[in-house]
Amino acid sequence: MKSIDVIKKHYQNTESIITIGTFDGVHKGHELLFKFLKDTSNLTPIVITFNKSPKEIIHNNPSKSIYDVETKESLIKNLGIQKIISLDFDDSIKSLSAKEFINLLKRNLNLKTLVIGEDTTIGKDKIGKKNGLNDILLSFECELKLISIKKNNEQKISSSEIKKEIQSGNFENVNKNLSKKYFLQGIVVEGKKLGRE
């Protein structure tokens, strides 16, 4: 199913407050964002998350995610967000301008407030805080809220930096920035029993 149709499938009547991102690892910066979503209004909080980072797809530079889609959704739900829409960054989304994308959210998810990080841009025309996103939202009778993805006013928390720390085995730093200590999931199977030797 095209991602644009996935959004349409989640049609709702109540006004919503929406955030958009990859949210890989669900780190403490993301936790601040989700808390803002559920604590600051009586609107329905919705998280739209991409299964793979749009930047990776645009630049054809794939990298391994911190967690798989199901684990990421579970972590977001544990932070109090019940409506999560997971999307592939496919052609149906890539081809939309910022205005077309906001119109899609307004018509199908009853968008009232969009919450994004300070540097986030929307649409193929890369519209953000500095070049007109607020004006687009106002034209749909919606508002823009910006939130700093930081912890204790320190430097910005970054999923890509957390990935580097994981690869380096520096789990003390990893766990300082994730909302929950890093973990692996899988099925334990019987091996060659070499450990007992």
Side-chain angles (χ1 to χ4, degrees):
M1 183 184 292
K2 292 179 182 176
S3 288
I4 195 170
D5 294 323
V6 173
I7 290 174
K8 290 175 181 177
K9 194 179 85 170
H10 283 86
Y11 182 88
Q12 67 167 46
N13 291 315
T14 57
E15 289 185 327
S16 63
I17 179 168
I18 298 175
T19 192
I20 302 162
T22 307
F23 306 121
D24 191 15
V26 190
H27 59 56
K28 288 187 177 174
H30 299 146
E31 187 175 358
L32 292 173
L33 182 60
F34 301 147
K35 184 174 184 347
F36 181 87
L37 235 66
K38 64 189 183 67
D39 289 353
T40 57
S41 85
N42 57 358
L43 304 172
T44 300
I46 299 175
V47 170
I48 295 176
T49 177
F50 292 110
N51 297 328
K52 288 286 181 185
S53 166
K55 284 182 184 175
E56 290 178 17
I57 293 167
I58 290 168
H59 299 298
N60 194 24
N61 184 28
S63 70
K64 188 170 175 58
S65 300
I66 296 172
Y67 292 127
D68 61 28
V69 175
E70 292 78 15
T71 302
K72 178 171 67 171
E73 287 182 359
S74 175
L75 289 168
I76 294 172
K77 282 185 178 176
N78 286 342
L79 293 172
I81 305 294
Q82 296 310 308
K83 185 146 190 173
I84 303 164
I85 303 174
S86 294
L87 302 176
D88 291 319
F89 190 67
D90 62 14
D91 289 337
S92 73
I93 293 291
K94 276 193 278 189
S95 63
L96 298 178
S97 67
K99 188 168 187 177
E100 289 168 335
F101 186 68
I102 296 301
N103 182 47
L104 178 71
L105 300 185
K106 180 69 176 180
R107 291 181 63 185
N108 294 282
L109 301 179
N110 212 346
L111 172 69
K112 185 64 180 175
T113 303
L114 180 67
V115 184
I116 56 173
E118 294 171 324
D119 301 325
T120 302
T121 58
I122 305 288
K124 66 179 182 181
D125 41 357
K126 293 184 167 61
I127 305 297
K129 172 186 82 166
K130 297 175 183 174
N131 60 345
L133 184 57
N134 194 52
D135 292 335
I136 291 173
L137 284 159
L138 285 173
S139 73
F140 288 99
E141 298 181 343
C142 298
E143 65 174 338
L144 176 65
K145 294 282 187 186
L146 300 169
I147 189 164
S148 177
I149 310 298
K150 295 182 181 180
K151 183 181 66 173
N152 301 328
N153 294 318
E154 298 169 5
Q155 69 182 59
K156 181 178 175 181
I157 302 171
S158 157
S159 294
S160 56
E161 290 303 314
I162 292 171
K163 285 182 193 179
K164 289 177 187 174
E165 296 282 12
I166 291 171
Q167 288 170 348
S168 301
N170 193 349
F171 291 100
E172 189 175 334
N173 279 350
V174 169
N175 291 331
K176 280 180 187 173
N177 288 318
L178 292 179
S179 63
K180 183 176 181 178
K181 284 186 177 179
Y182 181 72
F183 62 93
L184 295 171
Q185 292 189 122
I187 298 169
V188 178
V189 296
E190 189 173 9
K192 297 181 179 179
K193 301 182 175 66
L194 298 178
R196 64 187 178 182
E197 297 176 14

